[in-house]
Amino acid sequence: MNEVIKNKAEIDAMIRAAQIIDDTYDAVLDTIKEGDTEKGVADFIEGFVLMQGASGLSFETIVAFGKGGAEPHHVPTDCKLEKGMLVTIDMGAVYNGYCSDFTRTFAFGEISEKQRSIYEIVRQSQKFGVKAVKAGMDCAELDKVSRDYIEGNGCGEYFIHTTGHGVGKLVHESPRVGKNSTDVLENNMVITIEPGIYLPDEMGVRIEDMVIVGVEGAVSRHSTELIVINR
């Protein structure tokens, strides 16, 4: 049975798994171009992760362009990247038996004010969630922090999953950060904060970081400020 409270060696392995994904994300941002397919980017991610010393992926990589982002568990297709699309990438690595989990959404080319607005709502929701994490907190209360912000901005019906989950040997384990959860946070649990907004047949935004309970801030070095790639 996996322990939800992690020791130093376990946390160190997860931090390294997160660093591998941080480096992979940098590589994606440096190389992605118009005409790339979701499948092609997902294959690039897998190869890069393995080259960095990971033993594998935490889960099948999600790469979603434009309308594909409206599906939280989108399976990469042959859809080609075009200017004006939002791109959501959800990926993780396994290092020494422990997982990482990370999602970012960025813009390829200039995007609309609506796209920017939805992005900013999710970004603020995620920021408030990360900041609220503390030992002794009910997971349902933590879910409410992120969910209330999205609901307060008129998008509650489009946040269709829980705010987060535990990570360890499995990429999804206890505790569960959802509105019906009875779990309570303890120091050295590792959880995700990953709110999202999904507008059917239009667009989606998700931003996700791992957080170590008792350690301020997110594990990833990457900011959540919107990145716009123009090339």
Side-chain angles (χ1 to χ4, degrees):
M1 182 175 179
N2 294 324
E3 293 293 336
V4 296
I5 298 173
K6 305 301 189 287
N7 62 35
K8 184 179 184 303
E10 292 173 314
I11 288 174
D12 286 348
M14 296 173 74
I15 289 172
R16 177 59 190 141
Q19 290 170 341
I20 289 170
I21 289 301
D22 278 342
D23 291 345
T24 303
Y25 188 56
D26 283 333
V28 170
L29 295 176
D30 287 344
T31 60
I32 198 166
K33 63 186 185 301
E34 191 169 7
D36 283 350
T37 66
E38 293 172 341
K39 285 181 179 178
V41 174
D43 288 345
F44 172 84
I45 287 168
E46 180 173 6
F48 196 92
V49 165
L50 295 176
M51 284 193 301
Q52 303 311 302
S55 60
L57 303 174
S58 299
F59 52 91
E60 291 296 319
T61 302
I62 296 170
V63 178
F65 298 162
K67 293 180 181 181
E71 303 170 357
H73 302 291
H74 181 74
V75 177
T77 70
D78 291 321
C79 174
K80 292 184 178 181
L81 184 60
E82 299 175 5
K83 296 284 180 64
M85 285 180 165
L86 288 173
V87 177
T88 297
I89 296 179
D90 187 349
M91 55 185 170
V94 180
Y95 186 81
N96 279 357
Y98 287 85
C99 297
S100 63
D101 197 358
F102 168 94
T103 306
R104 285 292 186 276
T105 301
F106 61 90
F108 188 79
E110 292 306 316
I111 57 173
S112 69
E113 285 305 310
K114 181 178 181 180
Q115 288 169 307
R116 285 181 176 273
S117 176
I118 294 296
Y119 184 92
E120 187 61 19
I121 293 168
V122 175
R123 189 180 79 85
Q124 292 293 337
S125 168
Q126 202 259 358
K127 182 176 77 171
F128 292 142
V130 169
K131 188 174 181 180
V133 172
K134 62 181 179 180
M137 187 178 199
D138 291 338
C139 286
E141 180 186 353
L142 179 56
D143 178 90
K144 192 172 187 296
V145 170
S146 287
R147 195 170 300 279
D148 279 0
Y149 187 83
I150 290 176
E151 289 179 349
N153 281 275
C155 295
E157 67 183 293
Y158 304 114
F159 181 11
I160 54 178
H161 53 71
T162 61
T163 294
H165 55 84
V167 184
K169 288 183 178 178
L170 302 175
V171 76
H172 290 95
E173 58 180 54
S174 293
R176 180 173 178 269
V177 184
K179 58 185 176 181
N180 297 318
S181 177
T182 58
D183 295 328
V184 178
L185 296 180
E186 298 183 54
N187 283 330
N188 293 329
M189 287 179 169
V190 181
I191 63 170
T192 65
I193 303 294
E194 52 177 302
I197 293 175
Y198 309 91
L199 304 183
D201 297 318
E202 186 176 353
M203 59 174 285
V205 175
R206 180 167 66 255
I207 301 171
E208 174 187 25
D209 280 303
M210 293 197 312
V211 180
I212 303 165
V213 180
V215 178
E216 185 176 351
V219 174
S220 173
R221 67 171 182 264
H222 280 284
S223 167
T224 60
E225 294 286 344
L226 178 64
I227 291 173
V228 180
I229 295 177
N230 285 302
R231 61 168 166 266

